[in-house]
Each structure stands twice: as C-alpha cells, then as structure tokens.
Amino acid sequence: MHLVLATEAQKAERDRVTHSAWGSPLTVEQFHQREVRLRAHPWCREGMRTWLLLDDDGRVLASCESFHNDSFLLGPDGEYAAGDSFSIASVFTEESLRGRGHASRMMDLVAAELERASPRGHAAVLFSDVGAPLYRRSGYEETPAWDWNLQPRADQSTRHVDALLKDADVPAALQRMRRPSVPFFLWPSPAQMDWHLERERIYAEMLRRPRPEACGATVGDSTALWAMMARSGELVVLMLDVRCEADATALLDAACAMARKAGLSKVVLWEEPGTMPWVARVPGAARVAREGSLPMVRPLRPGLPAAPDVPFPRALWV
C-alpha cells in the first residue's frame, strides 16, 4: 500500500463514488459539479489536497482531503508563533473494502506526510461523523461537542443590530473579531469564510431556494458571521464574538430573523467557552449534545495542549 495525491481524473471518479455518503439530495452529476466548484475556490486552490491510498495494483482503497489552516501556538516568551495546521475531511472507504484498516493506515500516512512537509506544522484536525474510536487509533483526541439551538420566532428582528453584513463585508468583519486567549488555536482566513458562503451559493442555486439576505451582523464591538446549510434547513453561526449579554441576544435575534425569512427551521451555534456564558442567557437557546462533527486533534509536533483545550468555532469545519 502507498499514498498518492489524486489526479484531476481520479478526483472526478471519487466524486461519483462518494456521492452515496455526502451527495444527497443532489444528483451524482450535481454533486460532482459542486465538488468541481469548491475545488476551484481560492481557499481550496491554495491549500487543498486529495489523498488516495492505493494497493500494489493501483486500486483505490481509501481517500480523504486535507485543507491548510493558519494556527497559533503560545510560546514560553508569551508570544504566539504562527504555524500550519491541516483539516482532514471526506475520509471514505467503499463498503466492500471496510473493516480492513485501510482508513487508519491512510490517516497515519497522511499525518506523517504533513509532518514531513511542514516545518511549521502544529496539528491535524478533523470533524468525525462516526465517533471517536476509529480516529483515536491514528493518534487523534476528541474534544467535547455541544450545540446551542434557537428556533426562529415572529417577534425576532434585526432592529437591535447596527449593521447587516454582505459577502464583501466578511474580511473586515473577521479582522475586527478578537482572537482566543488560549495556548493554541486555529483561525480561519477570509478565503475560508467565503468557502462556506460558496457552499451556500451552490446549494441555493442547485436546490432553487433563496439565500439569507445577510451573512452576519454587528452591534457595538460585537460581531456574528453565519451561513445557510440548505441540506438541513439550518442557519449555522460560523463565528461569534460578543462583549455582553445584550449583544449576544441582538446578534442571535438577527440570525433567527434572517433564518425565518429564508425559510430555515433553526439557528445552530457551536459552543465555545468564550461565548457560552452570554449565549446561555439568550431567550430560547437550548443546549444539546452534538450529533456528528466531533472535533478531534492529532499533534504534528510536541508541546500542543490537550484537544479539549482547543476552541473550535463552526468556521473551521470542513
């Protein structure tokens, strides 16, 4: 067995194979076109790779993708050192090939390759939809995962925010957000934020449904950014930086108002320690254990804190 980077033809073939896992409700051809468009996005062009585990005859045994993230590790001098972390996604083994350790072998080889090729490497991260045991075998450690759900109501509006944000406003909005005061964190780039909005654009077009009228809002020094998940009928908060309870309520009310107008059933926010005290006081907010998308971390160098100490906003998901 050996690891290779996929050719364009191999990527197209994997699109059709993996449709069974992630394609619904799109047709096979729509799903392929979705993948083509996402791979053409600037964030993917700069930092995405598709990996294949092949047997000695060249048959594909398993596949996955990796995406580059900027990450920051606090040093003994109290300064953050910038480095490279990598999000692993779309781990797939065809049903007839499962149960033979192919995915674990591929994950080990990918991590070794990332470590070898990245002198500034910090960590590999992933968001597991199949629980933790499979990836623990490859050195990944999970972190607790909770969501806050809000149901859109007729009395919610955008009147208490200062501004609603459009796609072009995202870089400036991200720039004004405070970064976590923790020993280690990953931080999305403006291009990664727009990748989420490109997914929204694709599904809005293919499923013929309206996009939300805004992708975020500001009030005072507080900011929220969000995106539609058309497949599940949800609005997901990608990033939230709030300075007080009133700001949290105003921003999440605005998100709910946008969701209701777009015909979405709920607003979902990933729990983070820095915002939980404010979100917990928002009227109607309900805390639930997350189903799927379990954050997991594998260090690519010594000295990283334990996975539960790493914050994971929804913007980091792939």
Side-chain angles (χ1 to χ4, degrees):
M1 289 185 286
H2 58 286
L3 189 72
V4 300
L5 290 171
T7 65
E8 292 305 314
Q10 288 170 323
K11 292 174 188 177
E13 177 59 27
R14 293 310 282 177
D15 294 344
R16 291 171 169 83
V17 170
T18 59
H19 173 269
S20 62
W22 301 296
S24 179
L26 304 180
T27 67
V28 173
E29 184 56 32
Q30 283 178 321
F31 180 68
H32 169 59
Q33 291 304 318
R34 186 202 85 159
E35 292 296 282
V36 169
R37 283 182 59 175
L38 289 176
R39 286 195 289 266
H41 188 273
W43 185 58
C44 294
R45 289 203 311 268
E46 292 177 6
M48 175 188 176
R49 293 180 175 181
T50 301
W51 303 90
L52 304 177
L53 180 68
L54 305 182
D55 67 12
D56 293 339
D57 296 325
R59 179 176 60 157
V60 178
L61 301 175
S63 60
C64 71
E65 300 164 347
S66 65
F67 300 80
H68 175 266
N69 291 105
D70 294 323
S71 54
F72 301 87
L73 179 64
L74 188 66
D77 59 356
E79 299 293 329
Y80 281 101
D84 303 313
S85 288
F86 302 89
S87 297
I88 309 298
S90 303
V91 178
F92 188 80
T93 304
E94 293 179 64
E95 188 170 357
S96 63
L97 297 171
R98 293 173 188 168
R100 307 180 194 180
H102 297 324
S104 295
R105 176 60 175 159
M106 176 183 66
M107 297 295 284
D108 289 341
L109 291 173
V110 168
E113 178 60 25
L114 294 175
E115 185 174 354
R116 183 197 64 79
S118 308
R120 304 193 318 162
H122 282 156
V125 304
L126 58 83
F127 302 92
S128 174
D129 290 326
V130 295
L134 172 66
Y135 299 113
R136 285 185 192 141
R137 294 198 291 267
S138 294
Y140 286 84
E141 179 190 8
E142 70 271 21
T143 187
W146 295 85
D147 291 343
W148 287 89
N149 292 342
L150 297 101
Q151 304 298 323
R153 306 188 311 268
D155 62 331
Q156 293 165 317
S157 74
T158 62
R159 65 180 179 274
H160 296 301
V161 299
D162 296 334
L164 293 172
L165 304 177
K166 301 298 186 181
D167 294 8
D169 300 321
V170 169
L174 186 62
Q175 181 65 33
R176 73 191 294 241
M177 287 185 164
R178 294 172 300 179
R179 300 192 176 195
S181 297
V182 295
F184 174 70
F185 65 93
L186 288 76
W187 191 253
S189 66
Q192 183 172 1
M193 300 298 296
D194 189 73
W195 176 84
H196 288 281
L197 297 177
E198 178 67 0
R199 287 176 57 92
E200 178 183 289
R201 298 177 197 116
I202 291 169
Y203 277 101
E205 176 185 320
M206 290 184 173
L207 299 182
R208 300 182 182 277
R209 66 176 304 155
R211 295 182 64 199
E213 294 180 1
C215 63
T218 62
V219 57
D221 292 327
S222 299
T223 308
L225 293 169
W226 57 68
M228 175 177 69
M229 292 292 287
R231 292 177 62 195
S232 55
E234 301 171 352
L235 192 76
V236 295
V237 178
L238 300 174
M239 299 285 285
L240 180 66
D241 175 23
V242 293
R243 313 302 171 94
C244 64
E245 181 181 342
D247 288 1
T249 299
L251 290 171
L252 293 176
D253 272 1
C256 285
M258 291 292 99
R260 184 171 180 270
K261 196 165 185 179
L264 304 174
S265 63
K266 64 181 176 180
V267 172
V268 179
L269 170 69
W270 282 16
E271 181 174 290
E272 296 180 73
T275 56
M276 185 179 69
W278 308 128
V279 174
R281 298 187 181 97
V282 172
R287 187 178 188 249
V288 297
R290 187 178 312 151
E291 297 182 3
S293 298
L294 177 66
M296 302 189 73
V297 181
R298 171 175 171 155
L300 297 179
R301 56 169 292 171
L304 260 66
D309 297 327
V310 181
F312 281 102
R314 179 57 170 72
L316 296 176
W317 173 91
V318 290

